[in-house]
Amino acid sequence: MTLHQFDRQWEQDSSRLENHLKELNQRPLSAEILRALLLASQRLDEASLMLEQASAECLPDWDMTEVQQLENVAHEWLKTVNQLVDSHPIDPPEAWQDYQQNWLSLTNDEAPWRVFNSALNRHQAIRSQFAACPG
């Protein structure tokens, strides 16, 4: 945009930005991501508990594609939202700061992102104790 700031013939295509803003207005993307993190954490904890109680000698391979996608999308979204909030020169209201710390934080051990990572790391550590079943 700044490359064309003095070009009188240039017209900004605002439709792309407007479509992104419309999407943000229509879908609670942060809530969807937080919910996915919490549900994945719960399922990973349940699976870990089952593995701890299992007497199996081997486990089938685990396709991590969806978990990795969730991890990547959630991290990028939360990082971007936090950067956006932190970029404003005026501090947000205390209620927003609490929400940011409790729900959107990438460093708070009790926020969904860290809870998910802890559950995933624990599950992977438990799975690593089992041999892979022959294919």
Side-chain angles (χ1 to χ4, degrees), residues 61-76:
D61 283 339
W62 180 29
D63 182 7
M64 292 280 298
T65 305
E66 291 180 8
V67 175
Q68 289 169 338
Q69 287 175 346
L70 172 60
E71 186 176 27
N72 293 338
V73 167
H75 183 266
E76 191 61 33

Side-chain angles (χ1 to χ4, degrees), residues 16-70:
R16 183 173 170 209
L17 176 60
E18 288 173 7
N19 286 337
H20 288 306
L21 291 173
K22 182 179 178 185
E23 178 76 13
L24 288 172
N25 190 37
Q26 291 178 342
R27 287 185 59 197
L29 295 174
S30 292
E32 289 176 18
I33 289 172
L34 293 172
R35 182 175 186 266
L37 287 172
L38 291 172
L39 288 173
S41 300
Q42 184 177 1
R43 294 302 169 262
L44 287 166
D45 285 342
E46 291 168 355
S48 295
L49 182 61
M50 289 174 60
L51 287 175
E52 287 175 336
Q53 298 170 351
S55 59
E57 294 182 16
C58 66
L59 294 175
D61 283 339
W62 180 29
D63 182 7
M64 292 280 298
T65 305
E66 291 180 8
V67 175
Q68 289 169 338
Q69 287 175 346
L70 172 60

